[in-house]
Each structure stands twice: as structure tokens, then as C-alpha cells.
Amino acid sequence: MSSLIFNKFWRAAIVVIGNEILIGRVLDTNSHKVAKMLTLIGYDVTEIRKVRDEVEAIAKAVKELMLDNGVIITTGGLGPTYDDVTAEAISFATGIPLCLKEDALEMIEKRLKDLGLELDNARKKMAILPCTAVPIPNPVGVAPGIAMFMPRTKIFSLPGVPKEMEAMMESYVLPLLEKENLVARAEACEVLENVREADIANEVGSFAKEHPEAYVKSHPDIEGGRSYVKLCIMASAESKEDAERKAKTLLKSLVNRVQQGNL
Amino acid sequence: MSSLIFNKFWRAAIVVIGNEILIGRVLDTNSHKVAKMLTLIGYDVTEIRKVRDEVEAIAKAVKELMLDNGVIITTGGLGPTYDDVTAEAISFATGIPLCLKEDALEMIEKRLKDLGLELDNARKKMAILPCTAVPIPNPVGVAPGIAMFMPRTKIFSLPGVPKEMEAMMESYVLPLLEKENLVARAEACEVLENVREADIANEVGSFAKEHPEAYVKSHPDIEGGRSYVKLCIMASAESKEDAERKAKTLLKSLVNRVQQGNL
């Protein structure tokens, strides 16, 4: 994937936390949604890592990804159970000790009151965050998220429950990141019937090399003995409208070239 | 996740290759399926990484994961297009140079003949593999997989098309790994209604600590204002039947304890 801007500031990584994903019990869709959201506001997602509910494994992933990425989103591990260790891992990765955060505790008490539930030690644990963390309100569940504004990387830790994660991306993370946004992206796709990917590989390859500013991709598929190729182009521009126009124009010229090459 | 056996030999990692996944266009389900397959034959999946179609990014992930894992499965990047660079990346990660492999070329020619297609340079590229690679037959598509038997790690590179990946796991990778298999796994789950995860967190936590040989997990959910918790236990044993029996017995005793704790 090419980008208008290559520096670390615009590079993002996602860390998905949870043994249930690594043993194949639960299909992770969070990283897919977060990747799309970040891409469309101009970030280049460089890597997605899925790790166990272990302080060391999470901290290692976050620490390594901080070297190269301006934004890290983690999902999972913020709940009340014994294997929810994300706050501890973020503390470990950033070197910032844990505190019982009053602002997070207030958020938890308010949400529990809304839901008619009581504060106990398991729930109180969700307010123990790195001391400099900004708690992110959870409009759906109880556990607050964690925002860490480190010198060159912002870390946002969100819950693993998809509805909670999405609500917190929409209400907190995206508005905050969009303020700094210089690039918008849009994509356009077209399906070519009775074409095989290998037959158009050369044309698509040379087109991609001529347009490093766009992300060009062919997706092959076979159905009922007939082969299809879906051609997609993602383009970047200063506004969403310009990006859409650019993606459509580039796609049209790619489709023309491919069809001429296959006459 | 606990395991009967902790050494590297039984640790596995998955590397998913493809920009389409990192920009959120395609939802990766391959890593989920592979993780489940490996877990059920006794492997501990330690990490899943999703990286771009870039030689350096793929090679870095494979090289790092080789340190700690006896098996690495990669998916994607084996096709004929300009951005299919997995073979090159495996060569880079292992230090074994690339060769035009006659055995792989024969596989490709045979598959092309079956499909009524012709060999061209784009397709010939799929036979350029690390010189010591064993090509894995592809019963669904054209691109052969790559098996690399390194001193302490086996690397299997499979195509990204889910049907091809699954067929090659079933026909080649799993039978080969199962031969060395000492452990089988099985899981049992039960749904508890009108329970909140935080209310049973202490009981589940202490049960998990008493049974480090099993993988214990509660999954919370809310539906129509009522809250559910799904309790699951994955157990290991020498045979599948024993593992199933063990998982059921442990689950029964966990459910009993949780219900008594909530009277």
C-alpha cells in the first residue's frame, strides 16, 4: 500500500488480545473494522497482531509496534476477570506505573448505577490504569477504555466486545484522530467476468507501478466454472470527494487498459 | 492458555499476508480456521500476525516468530501477481536462496492442463521457491504451497484463497503434524442465564488457577436486557475421547461451583 505520507505519525497498528481468538473459538472481526476505519481517515495500518491474555506477550507487541507507529489500537482484556490484563501490560510497555484512577472509577460507578449494578472489587479493578492514562467513556458496557498520549505514539485500549469497541472508536478515537487528519481515502471496484487473474497480472502490475499513490489490487474468484476478477483501487486526496473522484478515474483507466491487453 | 507441554516444538504461530486485510477490505477468516485446527491437534498458537505484501515485513515476522515457535503457517502471497512475494520473503527469512523448482513447475503444469490453461511467465513465477522447499500440491487452485523443514521450525506457506488453504491444511499439513502428535484437545461450553460476568469472576478465576492444565474462559453477552455468560473449558489428554470426557467433567464442576457461589 502506498501513501501520500510515509512518516511514523500516519502509521498505525492494531493489537488484538485474547486466548479465545488464538485457540480459534472466537472469530475476531474487531481488527477488520478498526483497520477499515483507520484507513479511511488516512492512516496506513502496518500490522495487526493477535496475542494471548498475558502481560508479557501484550507488552512485547505494544512496545515493538510503538517504534514504528504513531497510533496503536488494542482491543480486549479490559474487563473484570482474572485474565483481563491489558492495563497492566500497557503500564509495562510504557513504563508508567498503575494507579487507582478516580476519573475512571467515577465512570464505572455511573455506568453501574445506570445498569442497576453494584461496585465490587472485581469491577473496581477496571479503574486501575497507568497513572497518566485518560479513561475513555464506555457508552455501551462498563469498562472504560484507556488513552495514552506518549511522546510519539498514541495508544488507545478498547474493550473486546464488538459493540463497545465500535461505540468508543466512533465517539472518542476517530473524532480525536480526524482533527489531525490531512488525507482522506476512498475506493472503487469493478468485477470483470470470464477473466483469470494470471491473464491480466502484467497489466495490473505495470499500472500499479505507474500509480504508486494509489492502492491497486485484483481479487480472483471462481464460481460455477466461470472465473471472475474484482479490480479495486483505493485513492487518497485532501477531501473525501476528491479521493472518490480519483479512485473512479483511475479504475476506469485500469479497466480500459486490461480489456485492451486481453483483446 | 495452559498446555501439557511447554516447549517450542508445540508452539505455533500464524502469519497472514495481504494489504487487502490491513486496509479492512477483506475479513481474514483463514487465521481463525488454522488456529482452531492447530489447537485441536495439540499445538498452542502463541501469536497471529497480519502483515503487508512486502518482502521485508513478511520476512521480519517469520524470522521473529521462528525463535519461539516450532511451526509457522503463512497464508497468502503465493499467486502470479506482482505483489505475491511470500516465496521471496521465506527465502529472505531462512537464508535459503531461490531456485526454479522442477517439482513445483510440474505441479503447476499439471494443474493448468486440468483447467485447460497455458503456462506463461506470470504462472512460471509460482515455481520459484527457496531451493530446499518441498512444494505442497494444491488440489483446488494452481499455486503450490511451500513446506520448509528448518532445524527447529517447520514453515508451511499456503495460498490466501480460503478453499485452497483449507484443502492443503487437510490434505498435507495436518496429517504430517498429527504424526508427531502427543496431545489431543476438546472443549465443552455451557450458557448461564441471568448472570453477569463480574458476579462470577472470582469463582471462575480461582477455578482456572486450580486447573492450569485446562483453558477456562467466560464470554459475556447481553441480549434484550438479559445477561448471559457462556462458560467454556478446553481440556487436553492423550486421546480425543479422554479430552472430551475431561472437558465435560471439569465444566460440570465449574458450573456447580459458580451456581453455589451465586445462591
Side-chain angles (χ1 to χ4, degrees):
Chain A
M1 181 164 38
S2 315
S3 170
L4 293 175
I5 293 158
F6 286 96
N7 69 33
K8 168 180 158 171
F9 189 81
W10 293 100
R11 291 160 64 100
I14 302 167
V15 179
V16 176
I17 297 154
N19 293 352
E20 67 276 16
I21 287 153
L22 293 170
I23 66 170
R25 179 180 294 147
V26 172
L27 171 67
D28 157 52
T29 55
N30 282 344
S31 61
H32 173 67
K33 283 177 204 150
V34 172
K36 182 142 209 174
M37 287 170 170
L38 292 176
T39 301
L40 290 176
I41 64 166
Y43 282 85
D44 285 347
V45 178
T46 60
E47 198 170 326
I48 298 170
R49 290 198 194 181
K50 310 196 185 189
V51 297
R52 298 187 184 199
D53 299 304
E54 286 164 12
V55 174
E56 211 183 312
I58 304 165
K60 183 170 167 285
V62 170
K63 223 169 160 174
E64 285 176 15
L65 293 168
M66 279 174 74
L67 294 174
D68 276 333
N69 295 280
V71 169
I72 295 174
I73 311 274
T74 78
T75 67
L78 295 180
T81 62
Y82 75 100
D83 56 355
D84 289 310
V85 295
T86 300
E88 200 182 334
I90 298 295
S91 157
F92 202 83
T94 57
I96 292 168
L98 291 169
C99 293
L100 178 65
K101 299 277 291 178
E102 285 304 325
D103 45 2
L105 198 59
E106 273 169 37
M107 279 184 194
I108 293 167
E109 285 175 318
K110 195 188 161 303
R111 288 298 296 152
L112 288 173
K113 210 178 150 192
D114 292 347
L115 297 164
L117 298 167
E118 301 219 339
L119 188 68
D120 54 17
N121 277 338
R123 288 175 177 130
K124 207 167 174 178
K125 165 179 167 289
M126 298 189 282
I128 301 174
L129 308 180
C131 302
T132 60
V134 178
I136 304 176
N138 183 336
V140 178
V142 177
I146 307 171
M148 297 286 291
F149 298 92
M150 304 302 292
R152 290 194 308 273
T153 306
K154 301 178 193 73
I155 306 171
F156 302 99
S157 293
L158 305 176
V161 179
K163 278 177 248 174
E164 301 180 23
M165 179 284 291
E166 276 175 68
M168 290 157 87
M169 280 297 289
E170 299 280 3
S171 63
Y172 187 95
V173 180
L174 292 177
L176 194 146
L177 294 180
E178 271 178 323
K179 270 189 213 157
E180 299 163 339
N181 192 14
L182 294 175
V183 180
R185 288 212 178 95
E187 67 171 337
C189 297
E190 188 164 327
V191 172
L192 302 185
E193 301 203 12
N194 293 313
V195 171
R196 287 196 160 261
E197 196 182 26
D199 294 329
I200 62 168
N202 287 336
E203 269 90 12
V204 175
S206 59
F207 189 90
K209 274 176 196 152
E210 289 162 30
H211 296 279
E213 80 285 8
Y215 168 61
V216 180
K217 179 75 184 162
S218 58
H219 301 272
D221 211 351
I222 300 172
E223 205 175 292
R226 291 168 70 187
S227 45
Y228 298 75
V229 173
K230 190 174 178 185
L231 286 177
C232 290
I233 287 190
M234 184 172 275
S236 309
E238 280 182 32
S239 75
K240 209 176 162 168
E241 294 69 34
D242 283 351
E244 278 167 7
R245 205 172 308 128
K246 210 160 151 189
K248 278 183 197 160
T249 310
L250 282 170
L251 180 66
K252 207 172 161 186
S253 99
L254 171 60
V255 169
N256 279 343
R257 175 169 332 174
V258 163
Q259 283 171 337
Q260 277 167 359
N262 272 279
L263 283 186
Chain B
M1 181 165 36
S2 316
S3 170
L4 293 176
I5 293 159
F6 287 95
N7 68 34
K8 167 180 159 172
F9 189 82
W10 293 100
R11 292 160 64 100
I14 302 166
V15 179
V16 176
I17 296 154
N19 293 353
E20 66 278 15
I21 288 154
L22 292 169
I23 66 169
R25 180 180 293 149
V26 172
L27 171 67
D28 156 53
T29 55
N30 282 344
S31 61
H32 172 67
K33 282 177 203 149
V34 172
K36 182 143 209 173
M37 288 169 170
L38 292 175
T39 300
L40 289 176
I41 64 165
Y43 282 86
D44 285 345
V45 177
T46 61
E47 198 169 326
I48 298 169
R49 289 198 194 181
K50 310 195 184 189
V51 297
R52 297 187 185 199
D53 299 304
E54 286 164 11
V55 174
E56 211 184 310
I58 303 165
K60 184 171 167 281
V62 170
K63 223 170 161 174
E64 286 177 14
L65 293 168
M66 279 173 76
L67 294 174
D68 276 333
N69 295 280
V71 169
I72 295 174
I73 311 274
T74 78
T75 66
L78 295 180
T81 62
Y82 76 100
D83 56 355
D84 289 310
V85 295
T86 300
E88 199 181 334
I90 298 294
S91 157
F92 202 83
T94 57
I96 292 168
L98 291 169
C99 294
L100 177 66
K101 299 278 291 178
E102 284 305 324
D103 45 3
L105 197 59
E106 274 169 36
M107 280 184 195
I108 293 167
E109 285 174 318
K110 195 188 162 301
R111 290 296 296 152
L112 289 172
K113 210 178 150 192
D114 292 347
L115 297 163
L117 298 167
E118 301 219 340
L119 188 68
D120 54 17
N121 277 338
R123 287 175 179 131
K124 207 166 174 179
K125 166 180 167 287
M126 299 189 281
I128 301 174
L129 308 180
C131 301
T132 61
V134 178
I136 304 176
N138 184 336
V140 178
V142 178
I146 307 171
M148 296 287 290
F149 298 92
M150 303 302 292
R152 289 194 309 273
T153 307
K154 301 179 193 73
I155 307 171
F156 302 99
S157 293
L158 306 176
V161 179
K163 277 177 249 174
E164 300 180 24
M165 180 283 292
E166 276 174 67
M168 290 157 86
M169 278 298 288
E170 300 279 3
S171 64
Y172 186 96
V173 180
L174 292 177
L176 195 147
L177 294 180
E178 271 178 323
K179 269 189 213 155
E180 300 163 338
N181 192 15
L182 295 176
V183 180
R185 288 213 180 94
E187 67 171 338
C189 297
E190 188 164 327
V191 171
L192 303 184
E193 300 203 12
N194 293 314
V195 171
R196 287 196 160 260
E197 196 182 26
D199 295 328
I200 61 168
N202 287 336
E203 269 89 12
V204 175
S206 59
F207 188 90
K209 274 177 195 150
E210 288 162 31
H211 296 279
E213 81 285 6
Y215 168 61
V216 180
K217 180 74 184 160
S218 59
H219 301 273
D221 210 351
I222 300 172
E223 205 175 291
R226 290 168 69 186
S227 45
Y228 298 74
V229 173
K230 191 174 178 184
L231 286 177
C232 290
I233 286 190
M234 183 171 276
S236 310
E238 280 182 33
S239 75
K240 210 178 160 166
E241 294 69 35
D242 284 350
E244 278 166 7
R245 205 172 309 128
K246 210 162 152 187
K248 278 183 197 159
T249 310
L250 281 170
L251 181 66
K252 206 172 162 186
S253 98
L254 171 61
V255 170
N256 279 343
R257 174 168 335 174
V258 163
Q259 283 171 336
Q260 277 165 359
N262 272 276
L263 284 185

